[in-house]
């Protein structure tokens, strides 16, 4: 069967069931780690982290609240982040004294998260930890300690499950590899 995304899909890297099983495991790990947390806050990095957050929080069985932050890289539209990051939408509330868990879709070069970590640490949270669904270790330029990681993946451009292909297809329940040749042929 063909779908609007079919021409751009080279292969399914992680099917829906694989993703859901892992998200459930991560939720259990987080639940265990934050038994003594009093004011846990999950911070979702928009927009890519949104589907991951909403699935993950169903499996986080300790009381918590959620907040959102959006950042952009200069030269948006490029498929690689540049290292020049800025906050385009900030958190609603102060995080000082709170246990904060950042929820991100993917860590690639590490520049985006490194910037966010620097900004949030300066606000004096009680703790700041990282949960990322995906990581491409071979692309790392800045070291990031990931406390909860879904999957390590190869250096391929992926989409679905929150991740976009030119702002589309974030709704797909699986993670697919982009057929870059098909995409470039279209543009
Ligand atoms: P970094 O700053 O290089 O670590 O890039 C992180 C951000 O780039 C992620 O939050 C994504 O928004 C985006 N990104 C990196 N790799 C991919 C990919 O394969 N597909 C879609 N977005 C990606
Ligand atoms: Mg992102």
């Amino acid at each position: 069967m063909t779908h609007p995304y079919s021409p751009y899909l080279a292969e399914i890297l992680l099917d829906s069931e694989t993703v859901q099983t892992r998200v459930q495991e991560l939720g259990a790990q987080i639940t265990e780690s934050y038994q003594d947390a009093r004011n846990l806050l999950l911070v979702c990095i928009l927009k890519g982290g949104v589907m991951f957050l909403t699935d993950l929080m169903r499996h986080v069985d300790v009381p918590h609240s959620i907040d959102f932050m959006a950042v952009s890289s200069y030269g948006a539209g490029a498929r690689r982040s540049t290292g020049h990051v800025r906050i385009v939408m900030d958190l609603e509330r102060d995080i000082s004294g709170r246990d904060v868990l950042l929820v991100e879709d993917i860590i690639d070069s590490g520049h985006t998260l490194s910037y966010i970590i620097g900004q949030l640490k300066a606000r004096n949270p009680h703790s700041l930890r990282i949960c990322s669904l995906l990581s491409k270790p071979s692309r790392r330029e800045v070291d990031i300690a990931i406390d909860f990681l879904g999957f390590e993946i190869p250096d391929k451009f992926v989409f679905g499950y929150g991740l976009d292909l030119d702002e589309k297809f974030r709704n797909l329940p699986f993670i697919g590899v982009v057929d870059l040749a098909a995409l470039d042929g279209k543009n």
Side-chain angles (χ1 to χ4, degrees):
M1 187 171 171
T2 62
H3 297 277
Y5 60 80
S6 297
Y8 311 113
L9 181 65
E11 59 169 316
I12 292 180
L13 189 65
L14 301 164
D15 65 22
S16 170
E17 199 188 324
T18 304
V19 171
Q20 290 302 328
T21 300
R22 189 73 187 121
V23 169
Q24 196 170 336
E25 288 169 0
L26 289 173
Q29 284 176 24
I30 291 165
T31 299
E32 166 120 23
S33 296
Y34 286 101
Q35 282 301 308
D36 297 327
R38 283 199 204 125
N39 210 354
L40 177 60
L41 176 69
L42 306 187
V43 169
C44 174
I45 310 302
L46 295 173
K47 302 169 194 164
V50 76
M51 196 177 275
F52 180 37
L53 173 84
T54 55
D55 281 346
L56 182 69
M57 63 191 287
R58 287 171 234 230
H59 302 290
V60 175
D61 197 17
V62 290
H64 61 273
S65 38
I66 60 171
D67 206 343
F68 299 87
M69 187 174 213
V71 295
S72 82
S73 295
Y74 292 106
R79 281 176 213 146
R80 300 300 189 195
S81 82
T82 53
H84 302 281
V85 186
R86 69 190 168 93
I87 295 176
V88 295
M89 192 192 97
D90 208 340
L91 299 174
E92 184 184 17
R93 301 217 181 151
D94 183 31
I95 58 167
S96 74
R98 300 192 69 173
D99 287 313
V100 176
L101 180 63
L102 281 172
V103 178
E104 174 66 300
D105 53 354
I106 184 166
I107 304 176
D108 189 37
S109 71
H111 288 297
T112 304
L113 214 54
S114 159
Y115 175 81
I116 293 171
I117 291 167
Q119 292 290 314
L120 295 191
K121 271 197 175 151
R123 301 178 192 184
N124 297 312
H126 177 252
S127 69
L128 180 63
R129 294 167 86 186
I130 312 300
C131 176
S132 185
L133 181 67
L134 306 175
S135 171
K136 292 181 194 169
S138 64
R139 300 248 324 145
R140 203 75 89 246
E141 292 171 15
V142 189
D143 212 29
I144 305 274
I146 310 174
D147 299 281
F148 306 95
L149 174 65
F151 305 93
E152 284 194 350
I153 63 167
D155 179 13
K156 291 180 172 171
F157 200 78
V158 293
F159 72 122
Y161 200 74
L163 295 111
D164 70 303
L165 179 55
D166 295 342
E167 287 298 326
K168 295 186 191 71
F169 307 127
R170 295 186 193 272
N171 58 315
L172 302 180
F174 57 82
I175 291 172
V177 175
V178 178
D179 185 335
L180 288 174
L183 187 67
D184 291 340
K186 184 99 179 169
N187 286 339

